[in-house]
Structures are given as structure tokens and as C-alpha cells.
Amino acid sequence: MRHFLTLKDFTKEEILEIIDLGLEIKKDLRAGKYKKELNMQTLAMIFEKSSTRTRVSFETGMFQLGGHALFLSNRDIHLGRGEPVKDTARVISSMCNMVMIRTYEHSMIEEFAKYSKVPVINGLTDSYHPVQLLADYMTMVEYGVEQNAVVAYVGDGNNMTNSWLILAAKLGFELRIATPKGYEVDKNVLDDALNIAKDSGAVIRVMNDPKEAVSGATIVTTDTWASMGQEDEKEQRIKDFQGFMVDKEMISLASTNVKFLHCLPAYRGQEVSEDVLESYADIVFSEAENRLHAQKGLMVWLNKQRS
């Protein structure tokens, strides 16, 4: 049995296998073929952080695969209201076939997985967002920009940055991260990525100049400046992130065939300008849709590991 808590736990070959499986399932769906590979199985979805894309993609994905998804918020279960995480894990995993958790502390999902009898999927923590990176790389493959990719991430050193670091290190492409001073990437995650990169040949650079990061890049990506739980920091962050908006002037420094990615929701006029987002809307919203297909591939892959 395998859990999907961070990409660090997976080899390059396994990551690409999951993405290929997701692409195959997407192709079948387009042809009107529904393979009920998770027939009569149940996915428990625990949400301590709300999300449009995470809920819709996992719930729809389980339905299309022949299974059923249960939406469980803090108001629905005892987790966080007196019952230890390990007890909740034991109970839910005795009744469901798989668990997806979207929460704050990464240690919470690690403890849950430790006591779970079934695969646990990280739908997002404050440290990592690995399912989003599956969708991002799937989108790169579909648009034919995964080969010799130079990815520039502009913005906060957050869970998305951490996840890009691990993906780049595992798959061996070039990643440049530009953050404002004081918002740099987690040093421990960076050190992990640099160690992994020694084997894959990945080139990883961190800096504070977004224009330097974007120059000649084939992929430019960003994320909201204030994530859920950081609302009280929003005004200060808007000031601190001046000069980090991906606008037409900045993206003009990238490769002529550059693609723009955003995990959404996007705050136009902050991390990205309206004209840039709309100019690349086809790939951004394909990327959002690919959450469905990548996660279906992941769930089918995890289920096969138990066979």
C-alpha cells in the first residue's frame, strides 16, 4: 500500500506512470468510455481547508470511476473537536477504501497516514500540494513543453514552490524561483531538492529578481500572494510583493513560445494581470481541468498497488 503525501516518496518513473495513466483515462473519457476501475469503492474527503477544484475534481473523478466520494468538513466529523487524529484515521480507514485530506499542518496528514489502513492522498497542506503538480506537468505534456523545460516560478515561497522544487528535482528540468526578500523557500525543502537533483541533473536556482527568473523561460507560473489562513497578512503582502505581478512586460522577457500556468484561484491585478491571464486562459483552464484526470490516474494507480 502506498500513500501520496509528497512527491519525495515517488520515483521519476512512478510520477510519469501516474501522469500517463491520467492521460489515458482522459482520452477514454473523451471517447465516451467509462472504465469503472474503482467500482463500489468509497473515497473519504476530509476538508479542513475549502476548495473549488479539489472538491469537484475528486468527487467527479470517483463518480466517473464507479465509486462514491464522501465530503467531510470539520462540522461533519469529530476530528479537531476532541478526537485524536489517529483514532479518526482508524475509524474512517476501516470503512472507506481511500482518504483524501486537505488541511493546514503537514504533520496532521502524516499522522493520519501512519494509522490508516488505506491509501491517503494529500489534497493540500501548508507544506505541499502534490496533486496540483501532477495536473501541471500533465498540462505541460499535453502542450508539448515538458522537454527541455525552463520553469520560472514568481511569487511566495509556499506549498506550491515546495512542490515545484521536488517535481523539478525528480524529473530533472530547470527551475528558477523568484520570491521577495523575507518570503524565500523553505531551506529544508530546498536542501532536499538539491540533494535529489544531484542524481537527476535538475538545475535549481533561487533569487529575488523576478525578471531574472523569467528571462528566456518556457513556463512561467505563479500563485496567490496570500493563501488561506493568511488573510490578516494580505495588505502587507500586497506591499511586499510589488514588482512580482506577472504582466505583459514581465512575460515578454520569457521565451517567445512561453506558456503560463496558475493553480487558481487567480487574483487579477495582484500576482497576475488580467491581460496575461486571459491571453493564456486556454492552458490555465486546461490545467484546472487536468486536476480531474491526473487525480483519477493517481487513485487508480494507488488502488493497483494494493492488488
Side-chain angles (χ1 to χ4, degrees):
M1 185 183 74
R2 299 284 293 277
H3 299 298
F4 189 75
L5 307 186
T6 167
L7 293 168
K8 286 190 291 186
D9 301 328
F10 289 76
T11 66
K12 175 180 179 178
E13 291 72 26
E14 288 172 334
I15 293 169
L16 296 178
E17 186 179 338
I18 291 167
I19 289 169
D20 285 344
L21 185 54
L23 287 168
E24 180 184 339
I25 291 171
K26 182 177 182 178
K27 183 179 179 181
D28 285 343
L29 181 65
R30 292 283 192 269
K33 300 176 184 176
Y34 290 85
K35 295 180 180 178
K36 306 298 184 181
E37 299 202 47
L38 298 182
N39 187 47
M40 295 300 292
Q41 294 199 29
T42 304
L43 170 72
M45 306 187 302
I46 299 174
F47 281 85
E48 292 192 316
K49 276 188 172 184
S50 60
S51 169
T52 301
R53 280 147 293 278
T54 301
R55 179 173 181 182
V56 174
S57 57
F58 272 108
E59 195 162 333
T60 301
M62 274 303 283
F63 174 77
Q64 291 177 348
L65 292 168
H68 178 71
L70 295 170
F71 173 77
L72 304 170
S73 72
N74 285 346
R75 296 183 298 275
D76 303 311
I77 57 178
H78 289 99
L79 183 66
R81 293 189 292 150
E83 184 172 63
V85 170
K86 61 183 179 181
D87 290 358
T88 302
R90 287 163 169 153
V91 171
I92 291 179
S93 67
S94 71
M95 301 179 186
C96 298
N97 304 99
M98 209 171 292
V99 181
M100 186 282 298
I101 303 176
R102 185 177 170 94
T103 188
Y104 293 89
E105 294 293 331
H106 193 73
S107 58
M108 178 274 195
I109 201 169
E110 289 178 324
E111 183 178 3
F112 195 105
K114 179 180 178 180
Y115 291 94
S116 175
K117 302 172 186 175
V118 300
V120 176
I121 298 171
N122 179 1
L124 175 143
T125 66
D126 285 347
S127 298
Y128 297 101
H129 197 1
V131 289
Q132 179 64 54
L133 268 293
L134 290 180
D136 289 358
Y137 198 74
M138 176 184 284
T139 307
M140 290 168 62
V141 171
E142 285 189 312
Y143 278 80
V145 293
E146 81 280 12
Q147 297 296 326
N148 302 313
V150 178
V151 178
Y153 178 96
V154 177
D156 189 19
N158 59 14
N159 51 8
M160 281 298 295
T161 325
N162 292 345
S163 299
W164 272 111
L165 278 167
I166 302 304
L167 184 73
K170 288 284 185 175
L171 300 191
F173 58 81
E174 182 173 350
L175 175 65
R176 306 169 186 167
I177 295 175
T179 62
K181 291 181 179 179
Y183 294 90
E184 287 85 0
V185 298
D186 184 295
K187 186 180 183 303
N188 291 328
V189 178
L190 177 59
D191 287 344
D192 284 344
L194 291 173
N195 283 329
I196 297 169
K198 292 176 183 176
D199 293 326
S200 69
V203 176
I204 296 173
R205 297 171 56 206
V206 295
M207 60 199 75
N208 299 117
D209 184 350
K211 292 182 179 179
E212 180 184 351
V214 170
S215 181
T218 58
I219 298 287
V220 175
T221 185
T222 186
D223 189 15
T224 177
W225 291 342
S227 299
M228 192 176 299
Q230 298 174 330
E231 289 82 3
D232 58 339
E233 304 173 22
K234 185 175 182 179
E235 294 306 315
Q236 184 61 49
R237 283 173 170 262
I238 289 174
K239 294 176 182 177
D240 294 342
F241 281 76
Q242 289 306 303
F244 279 78
M245 181 196 298
V246 179
D247 55 17
K248 279 199 168 182
E249 179 184 356
M250 184 181 293
I251 209 164
S252 69
L253 301 173
S255 166
T256 54
N257 297 317
V258 65
K259 302 297 181 184
F260 175 74
L261 297 175
H262 195 305
C263 60
L264 300 178
Y267 294 88
R268 296 159 169 83
Q270 292 186 23
E271 75 272 10
V272 61
S273 63
E274 171 80 16
D275 50 7
V276 166
L277 188 66
E278 291 301 325
S279 295
Y280 296 91
D282 59 338
I283 190 170
V284 170
F285 289 98
S286 292
E287 174 192 5
E289 180 193 341
N290 278 339
R291 285 288 301 277
L292 169 65
H293 309 299
Q295 290 163 188
K296 286 165 70 177
L298 172 63
M299 290 189 289
V300 170
W301 190 91
L302 289 172
N303 185 57
K304 287 181 177 179
Q305 304 312 302
R306 296 185 294 171
S307 302

